[in-house]
C-alpha cells in the first residue's frame, strides 16, 4: 500500500494595481508551487495530497487521528497563523484544537515531519512565519530565529555536503545553486547533512517515536531556480528524505 504524504502550503494570491497615466486597473492571479515536489513524490510511488494555504486554514486536520492517516506531513511556505487561527476562533472566538500542538504530538507518537523553506516557513519575511513560537519548534532539528531569517542571494549560493548519509544515496556531490534560504541554528541533538553559507541546509532529528527534517530553501522558484528544480537528482533527494523520515 502506497505511503501517504500531505503537503500544506505552497499557494498564494496576488492582486496588482496597474497605473497608466490617468487610468488604473486591477488584475488578480492565483498560483501554486507544488509542481516539482509533487512530481518527485508521485514518481516515487507515494500517494500525494496537496492542501493549499487558503484551504489549510479550515481543512488541515484538527485531530491526531486525522494526522495519523498520513505517513509524512510537509509544511512549505505556510505560516503558523494559518493553523493557529481557524475561522471559528478568529471570527467567533470559539475554542478549537491547537494544530501546532497536534503536529508535535504526531511526531512524538511516530509521525514524520518535513519543513521546507520559504517566505512563511521557519520565521520568514518580517518573522511572520512564527513557527519558533509554536510546539512544532520542539520537534524540529533546528532552532528557528525570532527575526526575519531570509538570506537572499541573487548571485546564487551552492549547498555543500557535510557528511555521507542514506539521504544522499545516488546523488551527485555538486549541487545547483539556490537564490536564498531560511537561516536557522542547528540543535545539539540534530544531524547536519548539508550546509549553505555555513548554515543548515538539510538537517535531521529524532523526537519520541518519530522523525523530522528541514530543507531550508524552497522546493520551487524563486529561491529554487529552474536549474535546481530540474536537476536530475531533485526527485531522488526528496524521495530519499521521505524514506528516511518514514523509516522505510
Amino acid at each position: 500500500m502506497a505511503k501517504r504524504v500531505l503537503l500544506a502550503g505552497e499557494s498564494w494570491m496576488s492582486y496588482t494595481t496597474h497605473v497608466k497615466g490617468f487610468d488604473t486597473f486591477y488584475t488578480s492571479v492565483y498560483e501554486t508551487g507544488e509542481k516539482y515536489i509533487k512530481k518527485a513524490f508521485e514518481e516515487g510511488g507515494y500517494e500525494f495530497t496537496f492542501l493549499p494555504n487558503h484551504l489549510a486554514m479550515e481543512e488541515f486536520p484538527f485531530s491526531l487521528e486525522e494526522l495519523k492517516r498520513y505517513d509524512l506531513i510537509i509544511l512549505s511556505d505556510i505560516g503558523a497563523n494559518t493553523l493557529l487561527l481557524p475561522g471559528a476562533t478568529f471570527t467567533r472566538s470559539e475554542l478549537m484544537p491547537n494544530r501546532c500542538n497536534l503536529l508535535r504530538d504526531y511526531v512524538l507518537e511516530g509521525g514524520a515531519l518535513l519543513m521546507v523553506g520559504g517566505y512563511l516557513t521557519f520565521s520568514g519575511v518580517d518573522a511572520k512565519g512564527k513557527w519558533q513560537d509554536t510546539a512544532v519548534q520542539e520537534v524540529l532539528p533546528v532552532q528557528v530565529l525570532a527575526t526575519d531569517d531570509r538570506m537572499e542571494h541573487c548571485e546564487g549560493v551552492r549547498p555543500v555536503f557535510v557528511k555521507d548519509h542514506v539521504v544522499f544515496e545516488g546523488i551527485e556531490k555538486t549541487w545547483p545553486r539556490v537564490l536564498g534560504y531560511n537561516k536557522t541554528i542547528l540543535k545539539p541533538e540534530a544531524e547536519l547533512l548539508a550546509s549553505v553559507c555555513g548554515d543548515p541546509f538539510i538537517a535531521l532529528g529524532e523526537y519520541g517515536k518519530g522523525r523530522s527534517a528541514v530543507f531550508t530553501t524552497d522546493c520551487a522558484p524563486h529561491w529554487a531556480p529552474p536549474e535546481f528544480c530540474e536537476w536530475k537528482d531533485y526527485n531522488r533527494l526528496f524521495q530519499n528524505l521521505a524514506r528516511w523520515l518514514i523509516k522505510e
Side-chain angles (χ1 to χ4, degrees):
M1 186 175 178
K3 299 293 185 179
R4 303 183 68 192
V5 176
L6 173 64
L7 168 65
E10 280 301 332
S11 72
W12 60 96
M13 301 176 193
S14 303
Y15 185 75
T16 305
T17 301
H18 302 258
V19 181
K20 298 191 175 184
F22 182 85
D23 298 297
T24 62
F25 65 94
Y26 312 95
T27 58
S28 57
V29 63
Y30 169 71
E31 298 176 274
T32 63
E34 88 290 359
K35 178 177 73 172
Y36 296 103
I37 196 169
K38 177 182 179 183
K39 181 181 178 183
F41 281 104
E42 288 184 341
E43 286 190 358
Y46 296 90
E47 181 182 331
F48 188 88
T49 300
F50 174 47
L51 193 58
N53 279 307
H54 66 288
L55 297 181
M57 291 181 67
E58 302 302 327
E59 296 181 18
F60 191 90
F62 279 96
S63 71
L64 191 56
E65 291 69 27
E66 290 176 285
L67 286 174
K68 286 182 176 180
R69 294 175 186 170
Y70 298 97
D71 299 283
L72 170 62
I73 294 175
I74 304 172
L75 302 173
S76 184
D77 214 357
I78 179 173
N81 283 327
T82 297
L83 302 187
L84 291 170
L85 291 169
T89 299
F90 188 68
T91 62
R92 300 189 298 275
S93 298
E94 295 179 11
L95 300 178
M96 295 291 289
N98 185 318
R99 290 177 287 184
C100 293
N101 291 354
L102 290 175
L103 273 171
R104 173 199 58 201
D105 297 343
Y106 162 80
V107 173
L108 293 176
E109 294 192 18
L113 176 67
L114 170 63
M115 182 172 284
V116 176
Y119 271 36
L120 281 173
T121 28
F122 300 98
S123 62
V125 62
D126 298 332
K128 289 180 179 178
K130 203 175 169 57
W131 289 102
Q132 74 278 3
D133 293 329
T134 74
V136 173
Q137 172 66 90
E138 299 174 26
V139 292
L140 289 178
V142 296
Q143 176 63 48
V144 178
L145 304 184
T147 58
D148 188 319
D149 63 0
R150 294 170 303 132
M151 303 301 290
E152 302 287 358
H153 286 278
C154 59
E155 77 282 11
V157 289
R158 201 178 299 277
V160 295
F161 278 72
V162 171
K163 63 182 297 185
D164 288 327
H165 195 276
V166 292
V167 167
F168 295 147
E169 184 178 336
I171 293 174
E172 62 183 20
K173 296 290 186 181
T174 302
W175 290 20
R177 292 173 295 178
V178 297
L179 301 177
Y181 63 95
N182 299 94
K183 185 180 180 69
T184 61
I185 299 171
L186 188 73
K187 287 183 177 178
E189 74 276 8
E191 187 174 14
L192 182 65
L193 302 191
S195 65
V196 59
C197 299
D199 296 318
F201 187 71
I202 296 177
L204 311 177
E206 300 195 41
Y207 298 94
K209 299 177 182 178
R211 291 177 169 179
S212 71
V214 296
F215 179 81
T216 61
T217 194
D218 208 336
C219 61
H222 81 279
W223 275 352
E227 70 171 294
F228 192 92
C229 296
E230 295 168 8
W231 175 38
K232 68 180 182 63
D233 288 333
Y234 177 97
N235 290 5
R236 185 188 296 272
L237 176 61
F238 280 104
Q239 291 164 11
N240 287 356
L241 270 170
R243 291 189 188 101
W244 183 84
L245 285 163
I246 298 171
K247 303 179 183 179
E248 289 187 280

